[in-house]
Amino acid sequence: MLLTLSPKTLSSSFTVHKSQNPRCKSPNSCRSQSSKSRFNHIFVKSEVQIERNLEFETGETFFRHESARGRDLGVLSATLYKRFNGSLRVLDAMCGCGIRSLRYLVEAEADFVMANDANDANRRVITDNLSKVERGTGDERRWVVTHMLANKAMIERYMVADFFDMIDIDSFGSDSSFLRDAFNALRLGGLLYLTSTDGYSSGGHRPYNSLAAYGAFIRPMPFGNEIGLRMLIGGAVREAALLGYHVTPLFSYYSYHGPVFRVMLRVHRGKLHEDRNYGFVTHCNLCGHSQTLRWDELGLMGCPCSDTKASSSLVVSGPMWLGPLHDASYVTEMLELAKEWGWVSEGTGMDLEKLLSIMIEESDPRLPPGYTKMDEMASRAKMNSPPLKKMMSALVKEGYAASRSHIIPNALKTDCPMSHFVRIAKDNLHN
């Protein structure tokens, strides 16, 4: 079969210089996405919005207040990068109304932000929102607004060796076509903030779609929302390896609205020489036991509840990321910064302090992929669902690792097999 590829013409429409401009300060957040072929979602009527004390308008762009937490996490990460490295250049590849770009400029004190959105009809609202920060000129230019497909925006910057310290891609669905271009346009050691909103694929209902997008064949499992995060990281791991890089997840965040899966990755030079964190997850629908498998163990898969190696109740998904979803020390720094800024104890939704604290718990390298819902365990144990904290204490007393899950309130992550889990619950908590 003969394929003919016609590359798009590349052009550089502007020159970006490293900024030396002084900074301004304030807190905020916003989600928005847009492209000329945008999806049929709710569009917010254009009116003044306020997020983290920043005023902005949404115009006709797609915007969700519920995504503010993901924007908070992005700003905290960007700020830590700026404090450690001394400078910060950001590409907001799908900026929508521009609130994320505004937050990076104001809160993270970014030296330069390229706010790109494929839909040029959004130019006025983006420019008006960013105009709260002086644009600057020449070497002191703070921001610029462009209207290109995200891939083209990244390719053009890569072609002129104009690299970014952080690239935020707030995409829709399971579009992963931009991954390679993002790696190329990112400075080594930089941050890549990825998004997926494809709950059908993470839930195992579109396995061939997840295979095409992330190289992972995903089947239904009771912890599908965590699988969505691991699937997204795994796709980035695979693409990075092709280019001679490897990535480290700094944090992973799931939000039920959408749903939205967001992961912050740090990109390093050099491939990893082992694949212990990239493999497969199995789950037995009969006994509830889950485990991980490496590539060389695929022919040995089975479940302790079955006498045969091949069991019809065994479900396998992957390959995907198997390691910790977060870096504990990094998330601890995020939490300290949130406290410094007064972003904790806000009383709206899941408090940011609680979210980051649970992420630190989830970072325990002993914890395997997945979580167990207390109702499921109680059903298997034929008992009432036990209190989460008491169950955690009982597991730790038995020598197992245990943590809450930021994904679902009434669930635990643990390295305890389901059969032992049920026994411990009966022995310690049966009422």
Side-chain angles (χ1 to χ4, degrees):
M1 180 173 65
L2 179 64
L3 298 178
T4 302
L5 302 179
S6 301
K8 296 181 180 179
T9 302
L10 298 178
S11 62
S12 182
S13 56
F14 65 93
T15 302
V16 178
H17 301 280
K18 182 176 180 180
S19 171
Q20 300 171 356
N21 206 46
R23 313 155 180 129
C24 38
K25 184 98 178 180
S26 168
N28 62 13
S29 143
C30 156
R31 165 188 171 86
S32 83
Q33 306 160 319
S34 52
S35 70
K36 292 182 179 178
S37 57
R38 209 45 173 167
F39 42 96
N40 294 322
H41 267 291
I42 298 173
F43 288 81
V44 178
K45 181 180 179 181
S46 184
E47 58 184 18
V48 175
Q49 310 284 335
I50 299 177
E51 189 172 281
R52 293 287 183 199
N53 297 336
L54 286 181
E55 290 188 357
F56 61 97
E57 293 187 8
T58 57
E60 297 299 316
T61 64
F62 177 79
F63 171 75
R64 271 192 174 131
H65 289 287
E66 298 89 342
S67 295
R69 188 63 75 221
R71 295 187 285 272
D72 286 346
L73 297 174
V75 168
L76 291 172
S77 288
T79 303
L80 291 176
Y81 184 96
K82 173 68 182 283
R83 289 186 176 184
F84 185 80
N85 294 280
S87 63
L88 175 66
R89 303 182 71 256
V90 179
L91 168 59
D92 189 356
M94 300 178 180
C95 74
C97 68
I99 179 59
R100 278 191 313 275
S101 296
L102 180 60
R103 292 193 67 180
Y104 287 133
L105 286 165
V106 174
E107 296 172 318
E109 302 179 351
D111 299 283
F112 175 79
V113 172
M114 176 176 169
N116 179 73
D117 193 89
N119 190 350
D120 56 10
N122 296 332
R123 185 173 186 84
R124 183 200 61 80
V125 69
I126 299 170
T127 303
D128 287 351
N129 288 332
L130 295 188
S131 64
K132 295 174 178 59
V133 176
E134 186 178 351
R135 187 195 300 258
T137 58
D139 291 342
E140 294 189 350
R141 177 184 285 190
R142 293 292 307 282
W143 54 269
V144 67
V145 177
T146 59
H147 299 289
M148 294 178 275
L149 294 176
N151 290 72
K152 184 178 180 183
M154 292 183 284
I155 290 172
E156 287 200 353
R157 295 301 94 204
Y158 166 69
M159 293 296 290
V160 295
D162 184 23
F163 303 109
F164 293 93
D165 301 300
M166 178 179 180
I167 298 179
D168 186 329
I169 307 176
D170 193 13
S171 56
F172 173 71
S174 56
D175 184 7
S176 61
S177 61
F178 49 75
L179 277 173
R180 183 169 302 190
D181 297 325
F183 283 125
N184 284 330
L186 190 68
R187 193 184 308 277
L188 288 175
L191 306 179
L192 181 57
Y193 200 14
L194 299 178
T195 310
S196 169
T197 61
D198 189 356
Y200 286 102
S201 291
S202 64
H205 306 297
R206 294 176 180 171
Y208 290 98
N209 188 69
S210 63
L211 183 64
Y214 304 109
F217 194 85
I218 304 300
R219 299 182 64 194
M221 290 184 170
F223 39 86
N225 292 329
E226 183 175 315
I227 293 295
L229 293 171
R230 297 184 177 280
M231 173 184 74
L232 180 56
I233 299 170
V237 167
R238 181 188 65 160
E239 196 66 37
L242 289 172
L243 299 172
Y245 305 137
H246 68 275
V247 300
T248 301
L250 298 177
F251 70 79
S252 308
Y253 172 61
Y254 165 81
S255 180
Y256 68 90
H257 75 276
V260 177
F261 305 87
R262 300 226 65 180
V263 298
M264 182 69 77
L265 308 174
R266 178 175 284 145
V267 181
H268 311 269
R269 184 190 298 278
K271 297 180 182 180
L272 291 177
H273 297 292
E274 54 183 68
D275 63 354
R276 62 186 177 87
N277 284 331
Y278 186 65
F280 300 82
V281 176
T282 70
H283 177 77
C284 178
N285 288 321
L286 183 61
C287 73
H289 179 67
S290 298
Q291 61 184 353
T292 60
L293 290 173
R294 297 189 184 186
W295 291 81
D296 56 0
E297 297 173 323
L298 285 175
L300 305 174
M301 71 177 70
C303 182
C305 76
S306 175
D307 292 333
T308 60
K309 289 294 180 184
S311 170
S312 59
S313 63
L314 198 64
V315 177
V316 184
S317 291
M320 69 182 78
W321 176 255
L322 304 179
L325 292 173
H326 329 280
D327 181 303
S329 61
Y330 187 85
V331 178
T332 300
E333 290 184 56
M334 292 174 66
L335 178 55
E336 291 304 312
L337 179 58
K339 291 178 179 178
E340 177 187 326
W341 284 356
W343 283 12
V344 296
S345 303
E346 299 168 303
T348 55
M350 179 183 278
D351 177 71
L352 184 58
E353 182 177 15
K354 181 179 179 180
L355 172 63
L356 293 173
S357 297
I358 293 177
M359 286 181 172
I360 294 170
E361 289 182 19
E362 291 179 308
S363 304
D364 189 334
R366 296 174 296 170
L367 294 172
Y371 49 76
T372 301
K373 300 174 185 176
M374 289 299 94
D375 292 343
E376 177 191 355
M377 188 283 301
S379 176
R380 294 182 183 278
K382 295 180 172 56
M383 59 183 285
N384 293 330
S385 182
L388 201 67
K389 289 185 178 180
K390 288 186 177 180
M391 192 69 237
M392 284 181 64
S393 298
L395 289 168
V396 171
K397 186 177 179 181
E398 292 279 340
Y400 293 105
S403 85
R404 295 167 291 176
S405 168
H406 85 272
I407 294 173
I408 184 169
N410 194 34
L412 283 182
K413 291 180 63 62
T414 181
D415 57 347
C416 179
M418 179 60 79
S419 58
H420 294 186
F421 201 153
V422 169
R423 175 186 60 78
I424 293 171
K426 286 181 174 180
D427 291 347
N428 293 271
L429 304 169
H430 201 285
N431 48 22

